[in-house]
Amino acid sequence: MSDIICPTPNRRLFLSGAAGAALGGAALTTLSIPAHAKTPLVGAQVTRAYRRKLGKYEITVLSDGYVDLPHQIWANVSPEDADGYLKKAFQPEGSIRNGVNAYLINTGEKLILVDSGARDLFGPNLGLFPNNLADVGVSPEDIDKILITHVHPDHVGGLYTADGNVTIPNGEVFVDETDLNYWISSAEQSKSIDFSKPWFDVARAWKKAYDGRISTFKGEADLGDGISSFPLPGHTPGHTGFRVESEGEVLLIVGDVVISSTIQFANPEASNIWETNSDDSKKSRRTIMDVAARERTLVTATHLPFPSFGYVDRTADGGYRWVPEDWRYAS
């Protein structure tokens, strides 16, 4: 067996200390090694993009960052109960750290964007979308099509700048007609809760930026390229999911049917205060969770924890369980 190499004169001290520890000795002599220069803490994750193959397609999820949501966003869950869910899931209590995701679908022929993140509309920890595109080697000019799950600021905010210019100059936009009409309506804005009143202004600014390039659909529609829409009303009137299929593999992109994976899988009845119809929202949530669990279909959603791909499982108490997909080291 080769000798242990240590700088002299500490070699003997090291060996005698190790032998003493092995024999139950009381003393252990350690080497004195000078510290290197301090390295500052980074404070941010390096990985904000994740790729996954779906048949011949490549899906890239882009993290736009996060926002911390207070427990007061829940219409029918007390702060104490919310903390109970968080504690059970080994999450920090007091608020929910809520991620925001957008998606790029590369069909091999087209680049299709689903939602865009929030820009700076919900605070300083969001708005990574433009840099994310650059990081994954995508030019905004290369995006052919934009699909919108619903017209909330954290889904359309990244599509235009603060001065009203578009960020995706060539893509045709597809959005549910009911949702678009609702969010540009002054009458609906006047009836909205104060919390969401500014969101109507965002919707109008976004629509103005993309006028002439917006196509609408209703409910279930074939949007081409193996993608179809399906209605998930309640969160907003025209809240929409997208079914993506390639070579027999299926992905369901379900928008905001789940805001918190910690709370709403365990309690599908949990509603947030800005839902336009909480009964419809609960029904949509249970319906799509049932489908996903029964068919064992891959699912992703805007506010599921990054990288947000996974499966839904039923639990014995009538709820559901989110099962994140294992990280794929190659797409």
Side-chain angles (χ1 to χ4, degrees):
M1 185 172 68
S2 60
D3 287 343
I4 299 173
I5 300 174
C6 292
T8 57
N10 290 322
R11 181 171 183 266
R12 183 173 297 172
L13 294 174
F14 176 80
L15 291 175
S16 63
L23 296 173
L28 176 63
T29 303
T30 59
L31 296 171
S32 177
I33 301 174
H36 296 289
K38 292 181 180 179
T39 302
L41 302 179
V42 176
Q45 295 289 359
V46 175
T47 301
R48 298 190 180 112
Y50 177 83
R51 291 187 173 96
R52 186 199 193 281
K53 290 295 291 294
L54 186 82
K56 68 176 183 179
Y57 291 0
E58 185 176 71
I59 316 292
T60 303
V61 56
L62 304 171
S63 170
D64 194 53
Y66 69 90
V67 61
D68 289 323
L69 297 176
H71 290 336
Q72 286 70 26
I73 70 160
W74 299 106
N76 57 354
V77 178
S78 70
E80 294 76 18
D81 286 343
D83 275 340
Y85 287 115
L86 292 170
K87 184 175 181 179
K88 187 176 181 180
F90 298 91
Q91 298 293 320
E93 298 169 41
S95 64
I96 297 168
R97 179 148 290 184
N98 199 244
V100 177
N101 303 312
Y103 302 88
L104 271 175
I105 303 169
N106 188 342
T107 70
E109 302 292 333
K110 292 182 182 179
L111 268 180
I112 301 167
L113 176 68
V114 180
D115 293 340
S116 69
R119 193 160 41 91
D120 59 353
L121 297 171
F122 285 150
N125 297 312
L126 289 164
L128 304 177
F129 173 69
N131 288 339
N132 284 341
L133 285 182
D135 289 346
V136 298
V138 172
S139 169
E141 289 80 9
D142 295 336
I143 295 174
D144 301 287
K145 186 184 294 187
I146 305 165
L147 309 181
I148 304 300
T149 58
H150 61 295
V151 191
H152 270 173
D154 53 329
H155 297 258
V156 301
L159 293 174
Y160 73 102
T161 63
D163 54 5
N165 294 320
V166 301
T167 57
I168 309 297
N170 301 321
E172 182 180 5
V173 181
F174 292 81
V175 63
D176 182 88
E177 181 180 286
T178 299
D179 216 60
L180 179 61
N181 289 340
Y182 175 85
W183 287 106
I184 62 174
S185 167
S186 297
E188 295 295 348
Q189 184 176 23
S190 67
K191 294 185 289 184
S192 172
I193 63 172
D194 289 343
F195 189 89
S196 57
K197 271 186 168 61
W199 300 357
F200 291 81
D201 298 325
V202 170
R204 284 190 282 267
W206 163 73
K207 180 180 181 296
K208 181 179 179 181
Y210 284 84
D211 263 345
R213 286 200 282 137
I214 297 177
S215 298
T216 59
F217 58 86
K218 289 186 178 181
E220 295 183 13
D222 183 351
L223 302 175
D225 303 296
I227 303 174
S228 57
S229 64
F230 55 92
L232 292 170
H235 183 71
T236 66
H239 182 247
T240 298
F242 297 111
R243 185 181 190 274
V244 186
E245 182 172 2
S246 174
E247 296 185 334
E249 295 187 25
V250 174
L251 169 68
L252 301 179
I253 302 175
V254 297
D256 281 10
V257 76
V258 174
I259 296 295
S260 167
S261 61
T262 303
I263 293 177
Q264 287 178 297
F265 283 101
N267 180 8
E269 300 298 301
S271 302
N272 54 71
I273 60 175
W274 55 75
E275 290 178 345
T276 56
N277 188 313
S278 60
D279 288 339
D280 284 349
S281 183
K282 294 171 189 175
K283 182 178 179 181
S284 292
R285 186 158 38 254
R286 281 197 174 274
T287 297
I288 199 61
M289 286 184 181
D290 281 341
V291 169
R294 181 177 66 251
E295 300 182 1
R296 301 176 67 85
T297 308
L298 183 69
V299 173
T300 189
T302 307
H303 300 291
L304 290 175
F306 183 85
S308 76
F309 294 111
Y311 299 87
V312 180
D313 190 21
R314 288 193 181 91
T315 57
D317 60 2
Y320 304 86
R321 182 172 68 98
W322 173 240
V323 184
E325 181 182 59
D326 285 351
W327 183 278
R328 294 193 169 199
Y329 293 93
S331 63

